[in-house]
Amino acid sequence: MRILLLEDDKQLGPWIAGGLREEGHVIDHFENGKDALMAAMGQDFDLLILDRMVPGLDGLAVLKSLRASRDTTPALFLTALGEVDARVEGFEAGGDDYLTKPFAFAELSARVSALGRRRDGPQAEPEQTTLRYSDLTLDLLSRHCERQSQAIELKAKEFKLLEYFMRRPGRLVTRTMLLEQVWDMSFDPTTSVVETHISRLRSKIDKPFEEQLLRTRRGEGYVFGS
């Protein structure tokens, strides 16, 4: 999706923009409401992420102006204002969702995906209970994994890690994404939990077989499949 981000915090803004770009989104990042409003009026976006407390023209004023011009782009407010009255004010201005600071990137990502699905309309696809890639199969109900008809015993975190990769074949998965969405942890440069579990997972799903499915991109992250 193409996303407009209005966030003036010098650390938080680039962190949000970088994380969303890692997930494949195109981000136009603005630190003031005037520039964000001009961009939104002149270009098509799939989602607006607006900080409520930007000096001058804030996210609330930006969205009110857009809604007055009949712009229906989904909007997610980010703010430290968590009171009920503040949230109600955001929804009455035309907001679709509201996330208070501080927040985990995994939750922001989930809300972005939900708003994207809402914009695209209801999906009729049934829930997937078995994941397959090449000769590797992962049954989410029975918690059974096998490759080339050989059963592979996975511990709970290894199973969750493999499920995360198999749902994103061919996509770059960063260490930060794994820490937040598999371990529910914030970024920690000192921990080696990701590298340790990746090594254990490789020894089970790749080492005994000719085709290697899980690859490392040095300095970037990991890619499962081609």
Side-chain angles (χ1 to χ4, degrees):
M1 291 191 294
R2 185 174 186 186
I3 299 174
L4 182 149
L5 171 65
L6 172 59
E7 173 57 69
D8 67 330
D9 187 288
K10 299 297 184 182
Q11 293 183 323
L12 183 61
W15 178 71
I16 294 172
L20 292 174
R21 289 189 182 107
E22 287 179 355
E23 296 195 335
H25 301 293
V26 177
I27 309 300
D28 288 12
H29 179 202
F30 300 92
E31 295 185 354
N32 69 80
K34 183 179 178 180
D35 289 344
L37 179 58
M38 291 178 61
M41 285 184 163
Q43 304 172 55
D44 291 329
F45 289 93
D46 298 302
L47 177 64
L48 311 172
I49 300 179
L50 306 171
D51 184 2
R52 280 283 309 265
M53 300 180 68
V54 177
L57 194 66
D58 65 7
L60 191 69
V62 169
L63 188 60
K64 284 182 177 180
S65 297
L66 291 174
R67 294 298 187 247
S69 65
R70 300 181 182 276
D71 188 314
T72 60
T73 305
L76 166 66
F77 281 117
L78 294 179
T79 181
L81 301 173
E83 297 82 5
V84 172
D85 289 346
R87 295 199 301 271
V88 170
E89 187 180 22
F91 288 123
E92 288 181 342
D96 297 275
D97 202 353
Y98 206 100
L99 185 59
T100 55
K101 303 174 182 177
F103 57 86
F105 182 81
E107 183 176 5
L108 173 63
S109 175
R111 289 172 183 255
V112 166
S113 297
L115 289 172
R117 291 194 298 270
R118 188 183 306 174
R119 180 179 177 88
D120 295 337
Q123 302 295 316
E125 296 179 2
E127 183 178 358
Q128 195 174 10
T129 59
T130 301
L131 303 178
R132 293 183 177 86
Y133 187 91
S134 185
D135 52 4
L136 179 65
T137 302
L138 194 68
D139 190 315
L140 304 181
L141 296 180
S142 67
R143 312 290 291 179
H144 177 75
C145 177
E146 67 175 41
R147 185 170 185 187
Q148 295 182 8
S149 300
Q150 298 181 34
I152 299 175
E153 184 177 346
L154 298 176
K155 295 182 179 179
K157 273 303 187 223
E158 295 167 350
F159 190 97
K160 188 174 182 180
L161 183 61
L162 180 57
E163 178 185 353
Y164 188 82
F165 277 119
M166 292 186 72
R167 289 188 183 277
R168 297 159 180 80
R171 290 178 54 183
L172 178 67
V173 174
T174 67
R175 184 174 181 274
T176 300
M177 292 165 65
L178 293 175
L179 279 173
E180 289 194 338
Q181 301 191 41
V182 177
W183 278 271
D184 195 25
M185 295 169 55
S186 299
F187 177 74
D188 181 356
T190 65
T191 182
S192 62
V193 64
V194 172
E195 292 78 6
T196 299
H197 280 77
I198 289 287
S199 177
R200 291 174 181 170
L201 184 60
R202 276 200 179 112
S203 71
K204 295 180 179 182
I205 67 166
D206 272 348
K207 191 173 181 180
F209 306 95
E210 182 176 350
E211 182 186 7
Q212 304 300 293
L213 298 177
L214 184 54
R215 294 171 290 117
T216 299
R217 285 191 183 176
R218 190 172 299 276
E220 295 182 278
Y222 307 93
V223 177
F224 178 84
S226 58

